Amino acid sequence: MFGQSVTFTATVAPSDGGGTVGFTSDGSPIPGCGAKSLSASSPYHATCTISSLTAAGSPPAIVATYTGAAASPSSACAQFSHTVNTA
């Protein structure tokens, strides 16, 4: 629903816990979600909580991109969308 917070979570496996995850919406960085550190323990994941998605037009394409670390190559998830309904 418009104005409510949404949390995106990206789980990275396999991983050594290093690297970061950046979240984008329609190819643009989501403010405050550009380089989120992975959790301190397995399963390693990064989260991004926002409330700034708009309810206009088609749902945005959300992508989480992992920067990689010494033992884990970089990668990106398949894009997915999130629909925001009006109040």
Side-chain angles (χ1 to χ4, degrees):
M1 178 89 49
F2 179 76
Q4 292 181 327
S5 295
V6 129
T7 298
F8 298 117
T9 302
T11 300
V12 180
S15 174
D16 61 2
T20 61
V21 173
F23 295 86
T24 59
S25 174
D26 287 335
S28 297
I30 296 174
C33 299
K36 304 301 269 183
S37 297
L38 296 180
S39 60
S41 61
S42 183
Y44 297 107
H45 63 279
T47 60
C48 165
T49 301
I50 61 170
S51 59
S52 60
L53 293 177
T54 62
S58 59
I62 307 296
V63 174
T65 303
Y66 175 59
T67 61
S72 307
S74 62
S75 64
C77 74
Q79 76 178 28
F80 62 94
S81 60
H82 180 80
T83 302
V84 178
N85 296 316
T86 57

